[in-house]
Amino acid sequence: MALKRQIVFSILLLLLIASGCSSESDKQQGQIKHGNKVEKVELTVSAAASLQDALNEITTAFEKEHQNIKINYNFGASGALQQQISQGAPVDLFFSAAEDKFDRLVKNGLIKKENGLNLVGNELVLVVPKEANKQIQTFEDLPRANRISIGTPESVPAGQYAKDTLENLHIWKDLKDKIVFAKDVRQVLTYVETNNVDAGIVYKTDAMISPKVKIIAAAPEKTHAPIIYPVGVIKNSPHQTEAMEFYQYLQSPSSIEILEKYGFKGLN
């Protein structure tokens, strides 16, 4: 009889140990459940300011399909975002408006080459206020302007493309004292919308969303480097699985369709 009680006790003890191990395993995998809910994973995406409207729409659709993942954005100039990541900012994905800023992170081992790709392209355009009365119809007319805004070339890719365009059109020297530099392309757009400048050079995608400006010319493609937007997963992201899910979602036909709706160009 004593032997039977000892056997039963041993079995119960083993079951309790197994149950404890299973519970601990669930915690380690991050699947801590509260009732029927699973805690959300939050991803931080550093993205070029020009992507803001398109990404907000894509994210709404993504979060409906992936209710355990929340996307938080840090929008800004690609150069500034790249520097933040290089200095250790906690970021899961980087969506840049320039290949060189993205390539620096790949070169420095912060993004694996196989976890990044060129996703879409953009165009550079000249905009003026909707009710502009200056006789500016082309890039060559810009010397007539009193003030022109572009992004700061060192940190804003659109600003570098704009400077390259003006240099290749041989009018940069005539304009450089009239330039009002902006922290990102959205600030350029704001300066034009509020009539603080006579003209600005922005991405087509930014010009398309504003009812207060009009596009008067597109920069000839040969006057600047191709405008390419690469995206990739940061190597040290603590949420690799979820970051890869969003990375793959950005490449889906539905995401590309949204990006194209906002004026971006597919590369395939």
Side-chain angles (χ1 to χ4, degrees):
M1 193 69 180
L3 181 60
K4 285 184 179 180
R5 281 199 296 270
Q6 187 176 355
I7 291 171
V8 170
F9 177 77
S10 299
I11 292 172
L12 288 172
L13 184 62
L14 287 170
L15 288 172
L16 285 170
I17 293 171
S19 176
C21 290
S22 176
S23 176
E24 186 62 30
S25 176
D26 285 346
K27 289 181 181 180
Q28 290 174 354
Q29 292 173 19
Q31 301 298 317
I32 305 173
K33 297 185 178 181
H34 300 279
N36 292 324
K37 295 182 180 179
V38 177
E39 286 188 348
K40 282 190 175 182
V41 169
E42 295 195 15
L43 297 179
T44 298
V45 180
S46 286
S50 51
L51 288 158
Q52 186 168 344
D53 296 274
L55 284 181
N56 283 338
E57 185 170 334
I58 289 170
T59 298
T60 298
F62 175 81
E63 289 183 345
K64 284 182 180 178
E65 296 180 24
H66 303 77
Q67 295 186 11
N68 65 313
I69 303 175
K70 178 176 174 53
I71 308 294
N72 297 316
Y73 282 105
N74 177 27
F75 291 109
S78 297
L81 297 175
Q82 175 254 312
Q83 288 179 358
Q84 291 169 10
I85 295 169
S86 295
Q87 292 167 5
V91 175
D92 299 292
L93 293 99
F94 180 41
F95 202 159
S96 175
E99 290 180 279
D100 63 333
K101 308 294 187 290
F102 188 87
D103 289 344
R104 285 177 198 169
L105 296 183
V106 174
K107 184 178 179 180
N108 292 333
L110 295 174
I111 296 176
K112 291 182 179 180
K113 190 173 182 179
E114 62 269 25
N115 290 342
L117 83 164
N118 295 332
L119 192 62
V120 289
N122 210 337
E123 296 180 62
L124 197 69
V125 298
L126 179 62
V127 295
V128 296
K130 196 79 169 181
E131 307 301 328
N133 53 20
K134 293 276 185 182
Q135 295 302 309
I136 301 172
Q137 300 297 327
T138 67
F139 279 88
E140 287 79 5
D141 292 335
L142 281 174
R144 298 175 184 173
N146 294 321
R147 287 177 295 182
I148 304 145
S149 184
I150 68 171
T152 303
E154 292 76 15
S155 60
V156 184
Q160 186 60 59
Y161 296 133
K163 183 181 178 183
D164 291 345
T165 295
L166 298 175
E167 286 179 335
N168 285 314
L169 292 174
H170 308 293
I171 55 176
W172 172 255
K173 289 182 180 179
D174 297 328
L175 300 177
K176 62 182 181 179
D177 292 333
K178 300 181 178 185
I179 299 294
V180 177
F181 293 108
K183 66 177 182 178
D184 58 41
V185 73
R186 288 299 172 93
Q187 189 172 61
V188 176
L189 192 65
T190 299
Y191 287 157
V192 179
E193 290 175 331
T194 55
N195 285 283
N196 281 298
V197 297
D198 301 312
I201 302 176
V202 299
Y203 293 126
K204 179 183 176 182
T205 51
D206 294 283
M208 286 175 60
I209 65 169
S210 175
K212 298 179 181 180
V213 306
K214 58 183 177 181
I215 298 172
I216 57 173
E221 290 186 1
K222 292 183 180 179
T223 60
H224 59 78
I227 302 173
I228 303 296
Y229 284 63
V231 61
V233 176
I234 303 301
K235 182 181 176 182
N236 293 332
S237 165
H239 310 296
Q240 286 291 316
T241 299
E242 292 81 7
M244 286 300 295
E245 282 189 62
F246 188 54
Y247 171 70
Q248 295 292 341
Y249 190 85
L250 289 170
Q251 301 171 53
S252 69
S254 60
S255 293
I256 298 299
E257 184 177 340
I258 291 171
L259 287 160
E260 290 178 342
K261 182 178 79 173
Y262 283 91
F264 292 95
K265 301 189 298 183
L267 299 179
N268 297 325

